[in-house]
């Protein structure tokens, strides 16, 4: 069992930067992911631009300490648009030191083609949250939904992304451990073979 990354809130990281960097290093991890922006920071373009500048600065400083800082998407980053740019695009454009933890489920719900989006981000993808969703856009076990999960794993392999993490937000049909087994078995049978 290895600690890969830690989700640390924007507020906590901005207020206790060195402590959080040291915490992640103590875990033996190399990545920090901002799981979301506070709601007040995404209400208008000026707030998003300010957040992007701060994220870029934190990402640059983290890199100097040997830690990669990423941002985790949801649907709202793709669907909220200011002056013809989504929040996600503003972060991509205005925070060049920031990397991304792509959540394939929420990107897919937004109408994003995960294969194209991963290719667009290129080296800026640190981690991938592999998530599948059903026709009602509810997360389901990998391979049980409507998203092209094979294309995701193909891109993870092609781009040599080190960590593809299955993220299951809710369990509808199975208990937690059964859900893990369904995703694991589907991945093994349909997409990749684990060593």
């Amino acid at each position: 069992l290895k600690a890969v990354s830690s989700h640390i809130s924007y507020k906590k990281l901005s207020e206790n930067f060195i402590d959080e960097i040291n915490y992640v290093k103590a875990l033996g991890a190399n990545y920090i992911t901002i799981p979301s922006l506070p709601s007040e920071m995404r209400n208008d373009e000026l707030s998003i631009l300010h957040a992007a500048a701060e994220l870029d600065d934190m990402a640059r400083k983290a890199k100097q300490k040997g830690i990669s800082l990423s941002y985790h998407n949801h649907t709202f980053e793709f669907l909220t648009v200011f002056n013809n740019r989504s929040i996600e695009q503003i972060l991509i454009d205005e925070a060049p030191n920031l990397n991304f933890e792509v959540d394939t489920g929420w990107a897919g719900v937004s109408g994003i083609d995960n294969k194209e989006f991963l290719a667009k981000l290129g080296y800026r993808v640190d981690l991938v949250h592999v998530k599948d969703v059903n026709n009602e856009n509810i997360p389901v076990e990998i391979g049980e939904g409507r998203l092209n999960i094979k294309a995701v794993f193909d891109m993870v392999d092609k781009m040599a992304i080190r960590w593809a993490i299955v993220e299951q937000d809710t369990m509808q049909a199975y208990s937690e451990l059964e859900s893990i087994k369904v995703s694991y078995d589907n991945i093994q049978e349909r997409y990749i073979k684990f060593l």
Side-chain angles (χ1 to χ4, degrees):
L1 191 61
K2 175 176 174 45
V4 174
S5 176
S6 181
H7 275 203
I8 299 174
S9 74
Y10 177 94
K11 184 177 189 308
K12 197 171 184 182
L13 188 61
S14 63
E15 291 175 358
N16 305 294
F17 184 79
I18 294 300
D19 289 343
E20 296 302 329
I21 293 287
N22 290 337
Y23 164 75
V24 170
K25 285 186 163 197
L27 291 175
N30 299 317
Y31 307 100
I32 292 175
T33 301
I34 304 284
S36 185
L37 287 173
S39 57
E40 67 273 9
M41 297 193 80
R42 45 186 154 105
N43 291 329
D44 56 72
E45 185 179 22
L46 193 59
S47 296
I48 292 296
L49 289 169
H50 177 72
E54 288 193 344
L55 285 169
D56 190 60
D57 186 54
M58 286 192 284
R60 184 183 51 76
K61 289 177 182 172
K63 198 177 294 182
Q64 291 170 350
K65 302 285 186 185
I67 300 291
S68 180
L69 180 65
S70 295
Y71 184 81
H72 176 285
N73 66 272
H74 299 84
T75 51
F76 75 83
E77 288 94 351
F78 296 104
L79 300 180
T80 307
V81 177
F82 301 107
N83 286 323
N84 298 317
R85 285 195 301 174
S86 67
I87 290 175
E88 189 78 8
Q89 192 60 52
I90 292 170
L91 295 178
I92 292 166
D93 294 344
E94 306 297 333
N97 289 294
L98 182 66
N99 287 337
F100 294 88
E101 179 180 74
V102 176
D103 185 305
T104 64
W106 299 136
V109 166
S110 305
I112 299 298
D113 181 302
N114 280 302
K115 182 177 179 180
E116 290 177 10
F117 187 58
L118 288 166
K120 173 184 173 178
L121 289 175
Y123 71 92
R124 292 178 73 182
V125 178
D126 275 339
L127 309 162
V128 176
H129 270 190
V130 181
K131 183 184 294 171
D132 206 349
V133 297
N134 65 18
N135 289 329
E136 289 78 41
N137 294 327
I138 296 170
V140 293
E141 288 67 29
I142 302 302
E144 301 293 303
R146 65 177 176 82
L147 299 182
N148 187 349
I149 299 300
K150 181 173 183 341
V152 170
F153 278 113
D154 287 348
M155 286 303 290
V156 164
D157 186 48
K158 179 179 179 182
M159 295 170 66
I161 296 169
R162 187 149 183 223
W163 296 103
I165 302 162
V166 172
E167 183 182 44
Q168 184 69 41
D169 291 16
T170 60
M171 270 60 67
Q172 302 290 319
Y174 306 97
S175 70
E176 288 89 349
L177 291 177
E178 289 171 326
S179 175
I180 292 168
K181 182 172 181 359
V182 170
S183 287
Y184 180 91
D185 289 348
N186 285 347
I187 291 169
Q188 279 279 90
E189 291 168 14
R190 301 179 196 176
Y191 310 118
I192 59 171
K193 295 286 185 202
F194 297 113
L195 298 176

